[in-house]
Amino acid sequence: MAGNSFGRIFRITTFGESHGKAVGVVLDGVPSKIPISEDEIQRELDRRKPGQSELTTPRSEDDKVEILSGVFDGMTTGTPICMVVYNKNQKSKDYDAVKNLFRPGHADYTYQMKYGIRDYRGGGRSSSRETIGRVCAGAIAKKILKKYNIEIFGYVKQVGYVKGEKLVKDFIENNPVRMGDPEKYKEAYDLILDVKSRGDSVGALVEIIVSGVPVGLGEPVFDRLNAEIGKAILSIPAVKGIEFGAGFSVVEHFGSINNDEITPYGFMTNNAGGTLGGISSGQDIVFRFAVKPPSSILIEKNTIDIMGNPKKIVTEGRHDPCVAPRVVPIAEAMTSIVIVDFMMINKRLEL
Amino acid sequence: MAGNSFGRIFRITTFGESHGKAVGVVLDGVPSKIPISEDEIQRELDRRKPGQSELTTPRSEDDKVEILSGVFDGMTTGTPICMVVYNKNQKSKDYDAVKNLFRPGHADYTYQMKYGIRDYRGGGRSSSRETIGRVCAGAIAKKILKKYNIEIFGYVKQVGYVKGEKLVKDFIENNPVRMGDPEKYKEAYDLILDVKSRGDSVGALVEIIVSGVPVGLGEPVFDRLNAEIGKAILSIPAVKGIEFGAGFSVVEHFGSINNDEITPYGFMTNNAGGTLGGISSGQDIVFRFAVKPPSSILIEKNTIDIMGNPKKIVTEGRHDPCVAPRVVPIAEAMTSIVIVDFMMINKRLEL
Amino acid sequence: MAGNSFGRIFRITTFGESHGKAVGVVLDGVPSKIPISEDEIQRELDRRKPGQSELTTPRSEDDKVEILSGVFDGMTTGTPICMVVYNKNQKSKDYDAVKNLFRPGHADYTYQMKYGIRDYRGGGRSSSRETIGRVCAGAIAKKILKKYNIEIFGYVKQVGYVKGEKLVKDFIENNPVRMGDPEKYKEAYDLILDVKSRGDSVGALVEIIVSGVPVGLGEPVFDRLNAEIGKAILSIPAVKGIEFGAGFSVVEHFGSINNDEITPYGFMTNNAGGTLGGISSGQDIVFRFAVKPPSSILIEKNTIDIMGNPKKIVTEGRHDPCVAPRVVPIAEAMTSIVIVDFMMINKRLEL
Amino acid sequence: MAGNSFGRIFRITTFGESHGKAVGVVLDGVPSKIPISEDEIQRELDRRKPGQSELTTPRSEDDKVEILSGVFDGMTTGTPICMVVYNKNQKSKDYDAVKNLFRPGHADYTYQMKYGIRDYRGGGRSSSRETIGRVCAGAIAKKILKKYNIEIFGYVKQVGYVKGEKLVKDFIENNPVRMGDPEKYKEAYDLILDVKSRGDSVGALVEIIVSGVPVGLGEPVFDRLNAEIGKAILSIPAVKGIEFGAGFSVVEHFGSINNDEITPYGFMTNNAGGTLGGISSGQDIVFRFAVKPPSSILIEKNTIDIMGNPKKIVTEGRHDPCVAPRVVPIAEAMTSIVIVDFMMINKRLEL
């Protein structure tokens, strides 16, 4: 129990269900005197909102953030910052039909078994609306990183079988797939539309790159920077795997090619992905994660009802055929929170 | 700081350096009245020790565990169990040559930068000898799992380009590679010997399977079972990635094939890898992780010394050409600790 | 940083400032399927609200709780419960005069020094309005305790020099001082009114008694039941000391009279106050704590302004001359939270 | 469970039983490059050891500390420091008679009820020998405080009815009672000897003073400096109450005398005891705690055996008639650990 907090010194606690009164976050441990406004938070939040293009769900969720505490005269005060987004336009009736059914791939079954009760409307707590709070907190983390000239960005590297190869940073936020490769973007876009037209969904691969990270972040042997990022990313709904640097390709590597040689001018390669022994090396932090195809599809599937009877199910409603474009800001948020947390832990006494 | 503990209710704290007086662990939160002996711990420890075959380092580390506290009359008492292995046969002189050099792929550089000092002998704290404490604690976790009929095992699925396909459980502990596929074992064995003869090293892929896990383990939204396992596994030296169930292949999946359908007789597939919404579903927990080729190789590489001067380095000494066989028990230990921890957290009040 | 959470498995995180938009709490780790309504929370909240009698501040704070998450169809769902009270009727102008002054006895000085900025209106985060969130969470904790037939109550034992001797439980909630002694109540009441008329304030002693606590709560050696209660109570504004059972009188005790003898029918005395070795013994948990006289008084005092210049100050506004009656429900709330947390931790695996 | 750790960034985990193989501590989060030797630790340990005078138990426990990890070339490396004291000269046979009896005032009963098993020899885990680990870790914390010119000391203020009034710092470590008042020392000494001769024991009052503490330590609203110190001190065996500054006398105070006025030259009084709103104010941290008379006495008392039968008991063996002199270094250790932990948490990012 009590699994809704993340971070140690810089810590978030999220709350809220998809169709309840509100979703939100309490961000504790924020340094004081950081200028912050609702507009800044909102900008980040708008990056994850649905309805940004015809690729995402047409729900106009109109997510407006409100800061309830911790900011005074436009500045953080060092006290907990509570940010909420009140839920509007939530059509609970959409979910009456699936009230007693366990949607395949969703958490309906496990929530029901674990808690003996669940808010079935829109997935309740397991809805991706929960991540709104993460993005709000991440906006503040990002602002702190910026002050330290640490840059973080993510992009979609692959959608289904469409693999991006190039990475043009300026292109990412200028296409609805958030692809990094302008040449492959159209193909990915078409694939998603096609999948959507068939009532199906598709998976994707996302890469995050953080540059400017100081040497020394991470607290071995358990709280390694990569391990903590791993937990953060794997806590995002739909993520099924994560790999750092050369990642799974190391399986076929020999040490003689995998070791990153060191020169007076820096490392020659970055197979490690930015950490050595769980501590940042000053190289870019680079990792990728796999996002599964959304479980809500219009294709009929087998399931059971709450009494264990066999049933057929089609998940009606307005859903994303590919969730990766909206996962990018969530993953950036979680990564930023991890890094700020370690920066604060790492402030050592001078002795 | 203080990153050497793992777990919340069932918690380990490891200590010790490769060439210091001892390595060990304090295991706190153990239920009382579990019969436990040093022999049982030792058996598990022997599975990770070097010198088990010509594939592993010939160092006879002679790791003998000693229980210092928490066990009385052969039973746990509910108080912290400290277990130590005193270091012997550690040839510190081996390391004089690399005292001021940063071995590529090792944590020498980041430890030096972070702490301004490091025990350079054998990697000090970043040595894989640190995992001895984990395996000792894991032996007790495994015993608890056994009581609950939860079975956990791991095996090597791939070594370099040699991919195992079959899984014959009884074969795993009967071959020095801990391969699951008897038909591919010889090829993998030969590859490791070949790599060794060239002074090189090779990566591998390990799979862990846990069966009998009750429904309901995991505490969303952050302390998901898969996220916590992810952190645990990524905290093991040399691990560069982890994936659950269908893993990275979901990138190319459509929802219509990826969703695990449910029938009155159970799930029809296990693409999820045993969790839904971060909570165990009762299916097998299945995950794989990538182990990089060991960084200690006899092939000359570029590096710098502590003053930043360019140097050439060869890592002399006795090292494993492929570390995966010995990582298997470590990963089993960490996974067992995560599961027991969640089982204890999950014990809910009846209301 | 990040000091705004309390509890491990059953955990609260409070947020909000006296004159900000709202104060509130996120309560995580609540067992599912507990029936709960805003009315029930409100009842407990009304016990701490100002304006209950002429003894407390006449501000009609009109504190109405709203549940934002975690409750569905009138039942807890096991997900985090966010409860907020929007601030109304807060006259910020009252505080313009003291904007740059450090009120003696208040936290103005230390907040300014620590954070370099502070919300000076009504004490900001250090206001006792912060405890509203604690009382809301405590209402749920109390409901859980009731299910287990654990009874908790507190009362004012002494106000200034007026010492209560008797304890008539039914009288406590029927007098505005929350005194336990009907014979001393009038004297205490008059003292408070007299103090108020002089623009002064007065301290008090509060006792809390918990009965029906099962044997075995508390996790030595650090997380003792008494130590955790101690932290919880000392975290309440204005509390300057706490003692258990015989308390400070043990200083003059001999072991021969202080040891609580044991018989087949139970303990003969309760000098220990309900714990032995930090673990509940099944006896009543009994402790007392000292509440200082409120720092807001109408009597002129020396202080400095934010530039370090000497100033005179009178704390205008509407303040309680004795805060103990309103601290009783806060202390009950914190104690209940500690006990529920330990009950959840204590649910052990059967082996 | 898992209650054997204390601190967040600077964290101790103690282990060991009175008559087991060893007692000890793992101290995690220690800054690197602090020179440290076993001799320094030993000096602090010798202050708590028995047999220092005829007032303490004549057991020559010969407690020799051994550092197992975390120190290299005489310097801390930033990795966990494990320190152990092997138990010697423990006469287990002494305890055979009380094996099945619950000694009044001891934790025998609650440990048995909680864990269903206990190491009955010398109190097992609930023995004050457990505090050896705390003192070892405290020695390192103290060294850090010294670097920052923070001075901490404690002394016995009262023994039974003998109240010290003066405080002569240099006298404290030069008398076996650790009294601060040279004029009352003899009377206290004689009282303890008298009590000892009667086979009885006596309580005491200890005061701790910390000077040089920087403004700003403590993390409201829960992790207040005073609340954390409160928990730390209440976690020491035999402590029944704690008060800060004016302490319980505030009950009878008026605000007009209790508020500490502020001048350009500092605070005029220190009724607060060094914190405001849970944050250090730069004044001395001053607190007192009550130590109960040791429960081991030679006077026959009623108890029950493990089957619930009524029994008579006399606690044979070698015990302290007054434990306060030996508690002083333990309380200093715990307080030092709390302060260093907050100093490390308080290191804020510059923004």
Side-chain angles (χ1 to χ4, degrees):
Chain A
M1 311 206 159
N4 293 282
S5 296
F6 184 83
R8 288 143 298 179
I9 299 293
F10 186 82
R11 181 167 56 191
I12 63 173
T13 303
T14 71
F15 58 87
E17 284 84 34
S18 174
H19 286 60
K21 280 195 181 170
V23 291
V25 68
V26 180
L27 173 56
D28 196 8
V30 188
S32 58
K33 297 202 284 184
I34 304 174
I36 206 84
S37 70
E38 286 176 352
D39 283 354
E40 286 172 290
I41 312 289
Q42 190 65 48
R43 269 198 294 280
E44 202 60 29
L45 205 52
D46 288 346
R47 292 180 64 216
R48 84 159 279 295
K49 82 170 175 191
Q52 296 174 69
S53 79
E54 55 181 323
L55 295 187
T56 62
T57 154
R59 288 171 295 177
S60 81
E61 291 188 13
D62 193 25
D63 295 333
K64 287 294 168 202
V65 69
E66 197 175 323
I67 299 176
L68 294 188
S69 67
V71 176
F72 181 60
D73 278 353
M75 305 271 271
T76 60
T77 58
T79 64
I81 299 174
C82 181
M83 294 174 276
V84 292
V85 168
Y86 295 97
N87 291 324
K88 295 174 190 168
N89 187 34
Q90 308 294 2
K91 304 195 180 168
S92 298
K93 265 183 290 182
D94 286 1
Y95 297 95
D96 277 353
V98 296
K99 180 175 170 172
N100 291 316
L101 296 181
F102 300 133
R103 295 168 300 160
H106 280 286
D108 300 341
Y109 175 75
T110 49
Y111 268 69
Q112 185 68 39
M113 296 302 279
K114 182 179 180 71
Y115 299 111
I117 181 179
R118 74 183 207 279
D119 181 348
Y120 52 80
R121 302 167 303 168
R125 180 70 182 148
S126 71
S127 161
S128 78
R129 277 190 73 72
E130 174 273 323
T131 61
I132 284 175
R134 307 187 189 199
V135 171
C136 293
I140 295 176
K142 275 183 157 183
K143 186 146 189 184
I144 294 171
L145 292 186
K146 209 171 180 182
K147 266 275 197 181
Y148 281 84
N149 294 314
I150 299 170
E151 191 198 23
I152 179 168
F153 72 96
Y155 68 100
V156 176
K157 203 176 171 66
Q158 182 175 350
V159 175
Y161 52 77
V162 183
K163 297 185 188 183
E165 272 144 36
K166 291 187 179 167
L167 169 54
V168 179
K169 268 177 62 177
D170 288 346
F171 181 66
I172 300 167
E173 294 296 315
N174 290 308
N175 76 91
V177 189
R178 287 207 167 90
M179 286 286 279
D181 186 342
E183 291 168 22
K184 292 302 185 81
Y185 149 68
K186 190 59 175 55
E187 197 181 343
Y189 185 88
D190 290 345
L191 173 59
I192 298 175
L193 278 189
D194 175 57
V195 159
K196 186 185 175 189
S197 71
R198 289 188 280 111
D200 208 343
S201 64
V202 67
L205 183 71
V206 174
E207 182 166 89
I208 303 283
I209 299 175
V210 198
S211 52
V213 178
V215 190
L217 301 188
E219 301 297 328
V221 293
F222 296 109
D223 299 344
R224 290 166 192 249
L225 179 54
N226 51 321
E228 209 65 58
I229 289 175
K231 177 177 170 181
I233 297 300
L234 288 165
S235 79
I236 299 172
V239 175
K240 299 311 291 178
I242 184 169
E243 60 175 11
F244 292 82
F248 276 86
S249 71
V250 299
V251 169
E252 304 198 7
H253 277 188
F254 298 113
S256 53
I257 65 153
N258 192 64
N259 284 354
D260 299 311
E261 292 182 83
I262 318 176
T263 77
Y265 315 102
F267 292 91
M268 292 171 71
T269 47
N270 189 10
N271 288 314
T275 63
L276 284 169
I279 299 167
S280 62
S281 64
Q283 287 197 285
D284 284 359
I285 307 288
V286 180
F287 61 89
R288 286 166 302 284
F289 57 92
V291 183
K292 74 173 183 181
S295 303
S296 294
I297 54 174
L298 291 168
I299 297 164
E300 192 179 76
K301 289 286 165 184
N302 291 302
T303 191
I304 54 172
D305 66 15
I306 208 168
M307 305 303 291
N309 301 309
K311 297 282 176 182
K312 299 285 179 185
I313 190 166
V314 164
T315 314
E316 305 276 2
R318 300 149 303 176
H319 304 291
D320 285 344
C322 179
V323 85
R326 292 174 63 201
V327 167
V328 168
I330 302 169
E332 288 173 10
M334 290 305 295
T335 309
S336 301
I337 289 164
V338 170
I339 292 173
V340 171
D341 192 32
F342 274 118
M343 288 172 68
M344 295 177 78
I345 291 170
N346 201 44
K347 272 286 158 188
R348 274 174 295 164
L349 298 178
E350 277 131 47
L351 289 158
Chain B
M1 310 201 160
N4 293 282
S5 296
F6 184 83
R8 288 145 296 178
I9 300 293
F10 186 83
R11 181 167 56 193
I12 62 174
T13 302
T14 71
F15 59 86
E17 284 84 35
S18 174
H19 288 59
K21 279 195 181 170
V23 291
V25 67
V26 180
L27 172 56
D28 197 6
V30 188
S32 58
K33 297 203 284 184
I34 303 173
I36 205 83
S37 70
E38 287 175 352
D39 283 354
E40 287 171 289
I41 313 289
Q42 191 64 47
R43 269 198 294 280
E44 201 61 27
L45 205 53
D46 287 347
R47 291 181 62 217
R48 85 158 277 294
K49 81 170 177 191
Q52 296 173 67
S53 79
E54 57 181 320
L55 296 187
T56 62
T57 155
R59 287 171 296 180
S60 80
E61 290 188 14
D62 195 23
D63 295 331
K64 287 294 169 205
V65 68
E66 196 174 325
I67 298 175
L68 293 187
S69 66
V71 176
F72 180 60
D73 278 352
M75 306 271 272
T76 60
T77 58
T79 64
I81 300 174
C82 181
M83 294 175 276
V84 294
V85 168
Y86 294 97
N87 291 324
K88 296 174 190 166
N89 187 35
Q90 307 297 2
K91 302 194 179 168
S92 299
K93 264 183 290 181
D94 286 359
Y95 297 94
D96 276 352
V98 296
K99 178 176 171 171
N100 292 316
L101 296 181
F102 300 132
R103 296 167 299 160
H106 281 286
D108 300 342
Y109 175 75
T110 49
Y111 268 70
Q112 185 67 40
M113 296 301 281
K114 183 178 180 71
Y115 300 111
I117 180 179
R118 74 182 205 278
D119 181 348
Y120 52 80
R121 302 166 303 169
R125 180 68 181 149
S126 70
S127 160
S128 77
R129 278 189 72 73
E130 174 273 322
T131 60
I132 284 175
R134 307 187 190 200
V135 171
C136 293
I140 295 175
K142 276 184 157 181
K143 185 146 190 183
I144 294 171
L145 292 187
K146 209 171 181 182
K147 266 275 197 181
Y148 281 83
N149 294 314
I150 299 170
E151 190 200 24
I152 179 168
F153 72 94
Y155 68 99
V156 177
K157 201 175 173 65
Q158 182 176 349
V159 175
Y161 52 76
V162 183
K163 297 185 189 182
E165 273 144 35
K166 290 187 180 168
L167 169 54
V168 179
K169 271 177 59 177
D170 288 348
F171 181 66
I172 300 167
E173 295 296 315
N174 290 309
N175 76 90
V177 190
R178 287 207 168 90
M179 284 287 277
D181 185 343
E183 290 168 22
K184 291 303 184 80
Y185 149 67
K186 189 60 173 54
E187 198 180 344
Y189 185 88
D190 290 345
L191 173 59
I192 298 175
L193 278 190
D194 175 56
V195 159
K196 184 185 177 188
S197 72
R198 289 186 282 112
D200 208 343
S201 64
V202 67
L205 183 72
V206 174
E207 182 167 89
I208 303 283
I209 298 174
V210 198
S211 52
V213 178
V215 189
L217 300 189
E219 302 296 328
V221 294
F222 296 110
D223 298 345
R224 289 166 194 251
L225 179 54
N226 51 320
E228 208 65 60
I229 288 175
K231 177 176 170 182
I233 297 299
L234 288 165
S235 79
I236 300 172
V239 175
K240 299 309 290 179
I242 183 169
E243 59 175 12
F244 292 83
F248 276 86
S249 69
V250 299
V251 170
E252 305 198 6
H253 277 189
F254 297 113
S256 53
I257 65 154
N258 193 64
N259 284 355
D260 299 312
E261 293 181 82
I262 319 176
T263 76
Y265 315 102
F267 293 89
M268 290 171 72
T269 48
N270 190 10
N271 287 315
T275 62
L276 284 170
I279 299 168
S280 62
S281 65
Q283 288 197 283
D284 284 359
I285 307 287
V286 180
F287 62 90
R288 288 167 299 285
F289 58 91
V291 183
K292 74 173 183 181
S295 303
S296 295
I297 53 175
L298 292 167
I299 297 164
E300 191 179 76
K301 288 288 165 183
N302 291 302
T303 191
I304 56 172
D305 66 15
I306 207 166
M307 305 303 291
N309 301 310
K311 297 283 176 181
K312 299 285 181 187
I313 190 167
V314 164
T315 313
E316 305 275 3
R318 300 149 303 176
H319 305 291
D320 285 343
C322 180
V323 84
R326 291 175 62 202
V327 167
V328 169
I330 302 169
E332 289 172 9
M334 290 306 294
T335 308
S336 301
I337 289 164
V338 170
I339 292 174
V340 171
D341 193 29
F342 274 117
M343 288 172 68
M344 295 177 77
I345 290 170
N346 201 45
K347 270 287 159 192
R348 275 175 294 166
L349 298 179
E350 276 132 48
L351 288 159
Chain C
M1 312 206 159
N4 293 283
S5 296
F6 184 83
R8 287 145 296 179
I9 299 293
F10 186 82
R11 179 167 57 190
I12 63 174
T13 302
T14 72
F15 59 86
E17 285 84 33
S18 174
H19 288 60
K21 280 196 182 170
V23 292
V25 68
V26 179
L27 173 57
D28 196 8
V30 188
S32 58
K33 298 204 284 185
I34 304 174
I36 206 83
S37 70
E38 287 176 351
D39 283 353
E40 286 172 290
I41 311 289
Q42 191 63 47
R43 268 198 293 281
E44 201 61 28
L45 205 52
D46 288 345
R47 291 181 63 215
R48 86 158 278 294
K49 81 170 175 193
Q52 297 173 67
S53 79
E54 57 180 322
L55 295 187
T56 63
T57 156
R59 289 172 294 180
S60 81
E61 292 188 12
D62 194 26
D63 296 332
K64 287 295 167 202
V65 70
E66 198 174 323
I67 299 175
L68 293 187
S69 67
V71 176
F72 180 60
D73 278 352
M75 306 271 273
T76 59
T77 58
T79 64
I81 300 174
C82 181
M83 294 175 275
V84 293
V85 168
Y86 295 97
N87 290 325
K88 296 174 189 167
N89 187 33
Q90 308 295 2
K91 304 193 179 168
S92 298
K93 265 183 289 182
D94 288 0
Y95 297 95
D96 276 353
V98 296
K99 179 175 170 174
N100 291 316
L101 296 181
F102 300 131
R103 295 167 299 159
H106 281 286
D108 300 341
Y109 175 75
T110 49
Y111 268 70
Q112 185 68 40
M113 296 300 281
K114 182 179 181 72
Y115 300 111
I117 180 179
R118 75 183 205 279
D119 181 347
Y120 52 81
R121 301 166 304 169
R125 180 70 183 149
S126 70
S127 161
S128 78
R129 277 190 73 72
E130 173 272 322
T131 60
I132 284 175
R134 308 188 189 198
V135 172
C136 293
I140 295 175
K142 275 183 157 183
K143 186 146 188 183
I144 294 171
L145 292 187
K146 210 171 178 182
K147 266 275 198 182
Y148 281 83
N149 295 313
I150 299 171
E151 191 199 23
I152 179 168
F153 72 95
Y155 67 99
V156 177
K157 203 177 172 67
Q158 183 176 348
V159 176
Y161 52 77
V162 183
K163 298 184 188 182
E165 273 145 34
K166 292 187 179 168
L167 170 54
V168 179
K169 271 177 59 178
D170 288 346
F171 181 66
I172 299 168
E173 293 297 315
N174 289 308
N175 77 91
V177 190
R178 286 206 169 92
M179 285 286 279
D181 186 344
E183 290 169 22
K184 292 301 185 82
Y185 149 66
K186 190 60 176 52
E187 199 181 341
Y189 185 88
D190 290 345
L191 173 59
I192 298 175
L193 277 190
D194 175 57
V195 159
K196 185 185 177 188
S197 71
R198 288 188 279 111
D200 208 344
S201 65
V202 66
L205 183 71
V206 174
E207 182 166 271
I208 303 283
I209 298 175
V210 198
S211 52
V213 178
V215 189
L217 300 188
E219 301 297 329
V221 295
F222 296 110
D223 299 344
R224 290 167 192 249
L225 179 54
N226 51 320
E228 208 64 58
I229 289 175
K231 177 175 171 183
I233 297 298
L234 288 165
S235 80
I236 299 173
V239 174
K240 299 309 292 179
I242 184 169
E243 59 175 13
F244 292 82
F248 276 87
S249 71
V250 300
V251 170
E252 303 198 7
H253 277 189
F254 296 114
S256 53
I257 64 153
N258 192 63
N259 285 353
D260 299 311
E261 293 182 81
I262 317 175
T263 77
Y265 314 103
F267 291 90
M268 292 172 71
T269 48
N270 190 8
N271 287 315
T275 63
L276 284 169
I279 299 167
S280 63
S281 65
Q283 288 197 283
D284 285 359
I285 306 288
V286 180
F287 62 88
R288 287 167 299 285
F289 58 92
V291 183
K292 75 173 182 181
S295 302
S296 294
I297 54 174
L298 292 168
I299 297 164
E300 193 179 77
K301 288 287 165 184
N302 290 302
T303 191
I304 56 173
D305 66 15
I306 208 167
M307 305 302 292
N309 301 309
K311 295 284 175 182
K312 297 287 179 185
I313 191 167
V314 164
T315 314
E316 305 277 2
R318 300 149 302 176
H319 304 291
D320 285 343
C322 179
V323 84
R326 291 175 62 199
V327 167
V328 167
I330 302 168
E332 289 172 9
M334 291 304 296
T335 308
S336 300
I337 289 164
V338 170
I339 292 174
V340 171
D341 192 32
F342 274 118
M343 287 172 68
M344 294 177 78
I345 291 170
N346 200 44
K347 273 286 159 188
R348 273 175 295 166
L349 298 179
E350 276 132 50
L351 290 158
Chain D
M1 310 202 160
N4 293 283
S5 295
F6 184 83
R8 287 144 296 177
I9 300 294
F10 186 82
R11 181 166 56 192
I12 62 174
T13 302
T14 71
F15 59 85
E17 285 84 33
S18 174
H19 287 61
K21 279 196 182 169
V23 291
V25 67
V26 179
L27 173 56
D28 196 8
V30 188
S32 58
K33 297 203 284 185
I34 304 173
I36 206 81
S37 70
E38 287 176 351
D39 283 353
E40 286 172 289
I41 312 289
Q42 191 64 47
R43 268 198 295 278
E44 202 60 28
L45 205 52
D46 287 347
R47 291 181 64 217
R48 85 158 278 294
K49 80 171 176 191
Q52 295 173 67
S53 79
E54 57 181 320
L55 295 188
T56 62
T57 154
R59 287 171 296 179
S60 80
E61 291 188 12
D62 194 25
D63 295 333
K64 287 295 169 203
V65 68
E66 196 175 324
I67 297 176
L68 294 187
S69 66
V71 176
F72 180 60
D73 278 352
M75 306 272 270
T76 59
T77 58
T79 64
I81 300 174
C82 181
M83 294 175 275
V84 293
V85 167
Y86 295 96
N87 290 324
K88 297 174 189 166
N89 188 34
Q90 307 296 1
K91 302 194 179 168
S92 298
K93 264 184 288 180
D94 286 359
Y95 296 95
D96 277 352
V98 295
K99 179 176 172 173
N100 291 316
L101 295 181
F102 299 133
R103 295 167 300 159
H106 281 286
D108 300 341
Y109 176 75
T110 50
Y111 269 70
Q112 184 67 41
M113 296 300 281
K114 183 179 180 71
Y115 300 110
I117 181 180
R118 73 184 207 279
D119 180 348
Y120 52 80
R121 301 166 303 168
R125 180 69 181 149
S126 70
S127 161
S128 78
R129 277 189 72 72
E130 173 272 322
T131 61
I132 283 175
R134 307 187 189 200
V135 171
C136 293
I140 295 175
K142 276 183 156 181
K143 186 148 189 182
I144 294 171
L145 292 187
K146 209 171 180 182
K147 265 276 195 181
Y148 281 84
N149 294 313
I150 299 171
E151 190 199 26
I152 180 167
F153 72 95
Y155 67 100
V156 176
K157 201 175 172 67
Q158 183 176 348
V159 175
Y161 52 76
V162 183
K163 299 184 187 182
E165 274 144 34
K166 292 187 180 167
L167 170 54
V168 179
K169 271 177 58 178
D170 289 347
F171 182 66
I172 300 168
E173 294 296 317
N174 289 307
N175 76 90
V177 189
R178 287 208 168 90
M179 284 286 278
D181 186 342
E183 290 169 23
K184 291 304 184 80
Y185 149 67
K186 190 60 174 54
E187 198 181 343
Y189 186 88
D190 289 346
L191 173 59
I192 297 174
L193 278 191
D194 175 57
V195 159
K196 184 185 178 188
S197 72
R198 289 187 279 112
D200 208 343
S201 64
V202 67
L205 183 72
V206 173
E207 183 167 88
I208 303 284
I209 298 174
V210 198
S211 52
V213 178
V215 190
L217 301 188
E219 301 298 328
V221 294
F222 296 111
D223 298 345
R224 289 166 193 250
L225 178 55
N226 51 320
E228 209 64 60
I229 290 175
K231 177 176 170 181
I233 298 298
L234 287 165
S235 79
I236 300 172
V239 175
K240 301 307 291 179
I242 184 170
E243 60 175 13
F244 292 82
F248 277 86
S249 70
V250 299
V251 170
E252 305 199 5
H253 277 189
F254 297 114
S256 53
I257 65 156
N258 192 64
N259 284 354
D260 298 310
E261 293 182 82
I262 318 175
T263 77
Y265 315 102
F267 292 90
M268 291 171 72
T269 47
N270 190 9
N271 287 315
T275 64
L276 284 169
I279 300 167
S280 63
S281 64
Q283 288 197 282
D284 285 359
I285 307 287
V286 181
F287 62 89
R288 287 167 299 285
F289 58 92
V291 183
K292 75 173 183 180
S295 302
S296 295
I297 54 175
L298 292 168
I299 297 164
E300 191 179 78
K301 288 286 164 185
N302 290 302
T303 192
I304 55 173
D305 66 15
I306 209 167
M307 306 303 291
N309 301 311
K311 296 284 175 180
K312 298 288 180 184
I313 190 167
V314 164
T315 314
E316 304 276 3
R318 300 148 304 176
H319 305 291
D320 284 343
C322 179
V323 84
R326 292 175 61 200
V327 167
V328 168
I330 301 168
E332 289 172 9
M334 290 305 295
T335 308
S336 300
I337 289 164
V338 170
I339 292 173
V340 170
D341 192 31
F342 274 117
M343 288 172 69
M344 294 177 78
I345 291 171
N346 200 46
K347 271 287 162 194
R348 275 175 293 165
L349 299 178
E350 275 131 50
L351 289 159

